[in-house]
Amino acid sequence: MDYQAFFEREIEALRGEGRYRVFADLARHAGSFPRARHYREKGEAEITVWCSNDYLGMGQHPDVIAAMQSALETCGAGAGGTRNISGTNHNIVLLEQELADLHGTEAALVFTSGYVSNLASLATIAARLPDCVVFSDELNHASMIEGIRHSRAEKKIFKHNDPEDLDRKLSALDPNRPKLIAFESVYSMDGHISPIAEICDVADKHGAMTYLDEVHAVGLYGPRGGGVSERDGVAHRLTVIEGTLAKAFGVLGGYIAGTAALCDFVRSYASAFIFTTALPPAVAAGALASIRHLKASQAERDRHRDRVGMLRSRLDAVGVPHYDNPSHIVPVMVGDPVRCKQITDRLLDEFNMYVQPINYPTVPRGTERLRITPSPLHSDDDIDRFVQALSTIWTDLSLKRAA
């Protein structure tokens, strides 16, 4: 077999469908985000970023940078290996204590990424619970799907954010079988927010565990940034809360929070945790500083909501269609992968504005979109110029406007 020819054909197939992904070569500017330097063949350019998951700009916060610099000078660059072999750096110990406090749980366990924390935790829990059945929301993230698949446990998919469908499916099951319900608080492509309390009601009725992915909510919702479950006062009803340190907290890593026994169980049995090098001390220190700051400061969350509201109203004013939802995600709907790429290419090349097109398989075919994430650091002028650029492109491409 001609292996290289196979690889090339597969890549060309993606190009032909209009969903070949191009990674922009960027360097973010500490102290002036959302500005960044774009490196391209025709020369460098100063751009504005509109699709970062560093939702609150904490990746450049002075407290975070100072904490990372201090830890780097004190502990060096790397963790030295897995926590089992090299020990746990004290910054990770403090970080796990801070995360447990954030979610009101007995313990927390830190992983190298949110993807790994979902994969490792769901795979371990569902695999080792005898005869476990996992009930998974149909729009769950790929990391959750992968963890459930890796567990080889029986899986049943329930309709998105539909407690009644979940109840029906649970009612058809042997009440004595172990059950785990896996879902998210904020779904990052559509911006839906799940009915956590209602899902917990169903879980309580059927004696099921609950596993809530809060990666797109921690830092952003709740009086201390504990996520939608904190905002809604239901965090204590969940078996596992999973989150990330790489989005609103602005650094890197993932985690779970729950009882001491549950976290110790995952720590002791999850191969993806046991055999993975730990987070570097400086990364843990930066995440710790970010969490502590956002526990005490509401300013970033208030400004963030204001920016999201302003962007939505400006889009409405020019008729650029965006999907309405109760979260901070602003999906501008396009519905065609080729058009999506044309829009984002023009934004970058002509207007120096960066948005990554979202195509299949991240979203279903025919729902291609721009996923806009305004931050507290975007100014009124930034928003006005971005919306005007979109409106110009919409006219040039004869795209349908909202009524």
Side-chain angles (χ1 to χ4, degrees):
M1 179 179 184
D2 187 339
Y3 301 111
Q4 296 308 311
F6 169 79
F7 299 145
E8 291 169 3
R9 285 196 303 272
E10 292 297 299
I11 292 298
E12 284 307 311
L14 290 177
R15 293 184 193 276
E17 293 179 37
R19 58 186 186 94
Y20 177 75
R21 298 171 189 243
V22 177
F23 294 163
D25 185 354
L26 306 179
R28 304 202 310 168
H29 296 332
S32 63
F33 186 76
R35 308 293 176 252
R37 175 66 57 182
H38 180 214
Y39 296 89
R40 50 191 173 185
E41 290 183 5
K42 61 182 181 180
E44 302 174 12
E46 189 86 3
I47 65 165
T48 303
V49 177
W50 280 98
C51 56
S52 174
N53 281 346
D54 184 0
Y55 292 129
L56 300 177
M58 291 302 294
Q60 64 167 9
H61 194 280
D63 291 353
V64 174
I65 293 174
M68 295 185 75
Q69 289 173 335
S70 176
L72 188 63
E73 292 169 358
T74 302
C75 301
T82 68
R83 292 167 69 172
N84 180 55
I85 291 175
S86 298
T88 296
N89 183 272
H90 187 57
N91 288 294
I92 294 181
V93 174
L94 296 176
L95 175 59
E96 289 177 341
Q97 292 172 354
E98 200 73 29
L99 288 164
D101 177 77
L102 176 66
H103 294 293
T105 58
E106 293 178 347
L109 186 67
V110 168
F111 297 79
T112 51
S113 74
Y115 194 104
V116 173
S117 59
N118 267 338
L119 189 156
S121 301
L122 283 166
T124 302
I125 294 168
R128 298 195 69 89
L129 276 173
D131 203 24
C132 179
V133 183
V134 182
F135 291 80
S136 178
D137 187 288
E138 65 180 338
L139 294 187
N140 275 344
H141 189 264
S143 59
M144 303 177 78
I145 296 169
E146 186 70 15
I148 297 165
R149 181 185 296 123
H150 191 69
S151 76
R152 298 186 179 179
E154 183 179 351
K155 177 179 74 173
K156 295 184 180 296
I157 297 174
F158 64 94
K159 294 178 182 178
H160 177 54
N161 278 353
D162 191 336
E164 292 182 0
D165 185 56
L166 175 63
D167 184 45
R168 284 192 295 270
K169 286 180 165 58
L170 278 161
S171 297
L173 196 70
D174 180 348
N176 295 316
R177 286 185 70 179
K179 298 166 285 288
L180 175 63
I181 302 167
F183 63 112
E184 302 179 39
S185 60
V186 176
Y187 289 82
S188 65
M189 289 301 119
D190 294 317
H192 298 158
I193 293 181
S194 64
I196 302 174
E198 288 86 346
I199 291 175
C200 287
D201 289 342
V202 175
D204 291 345
K205 175 182 175 182
H206 295 279
M209 296 174 62
T210 48
Y211 184 106
L212 178 67
D213 177 316
E214 286 259 43
V215 297
H216 291 279
V218 289
L220 295 168
Y221 299 86
R224 300 194 308 159
V228 177
S229 59
E230 183 195 31
R231 184 198 71 179
D232 294 352
V234 294
H236 64 285
R237 301 185 63 185
L238 297 156
T239 312
V240 183
I241 295 174
E242 186 267 349
T244 186
L245 306 169
K247 293 183 170 61
F249 293 131
V251 192
L252 178 70
Y255 65 90
I256 60 169
T259 64
L262 183 143
C263 291
D264 198 23
F265 169 81
V266 175
R267 181 191 70 88
S268 300
Y269 285 102
S271 60
F273 173 84
I274 295 169
F275 297 105
T276 299
T277 297
L279 283 181
V283 172
L288 176 62
S290 182
I291 294 165
R292 285 177 173 171
H293 176 84
L294 289 175
K295 277 182 176 179
S297 175
Q298 187 64 27
E300 290 81 5
R301 287 186 283 274
D302 288 344
R303 171 74 173 176
H304 185 241
R305 283 195 291 271
D306 176 79
R307 301 292 83 188
V308 172
M310 175 174 285
L311 176 61
R312 288 186 183 279
S313 66
R314 296 287 198 273
L315 290 171
D316 287 339
V318 298
V320 171
H322 62 95
Y323 185 75
D324 192 25
N325 62 56
S327 76
H328 60 284
I329 308 294
V330 184
V332 171
M333 308 307 291
V334 180
D336 178 88
V338 174
R339 287 296 198 205
C340 217
K341 186 69 165 56
Q342 287 176 331
I343 294 167
T344 57
D345 283 350
R346 286 195 59 186
L347 282 171
L348 188 58
D349 294 339
E350 298 177 27
F351 298 95
N352 293 325
M353 300 172 184
Y354 172 61
V355 182
Q356 181 71 0
I358 305 296
N359 297 325
Y360 177 84
T362 306
V363 295
R365 297 180 193 275
T367 68
E368 292 81 7
R369 68 198 66 183
L370 315 181
R371 179 183 176 275
I372 315 302
T373 54
S375 78
L377 303 172
H378 285 91
S379 68
D380 289 5
D381 184 57
D382 288 334
I383 293 173
D384 286 339
R385 287 189 295 109
F386 178 63
V387 170
Q388 185 55 53
L390 276 177
S391 183
T392 297
I393 295 170
W394 236 254
T395 297
D396 292 347
L397 296 180
S398 301
L399 297 173
K400 185 178 179 180
R401 294 187 183 256

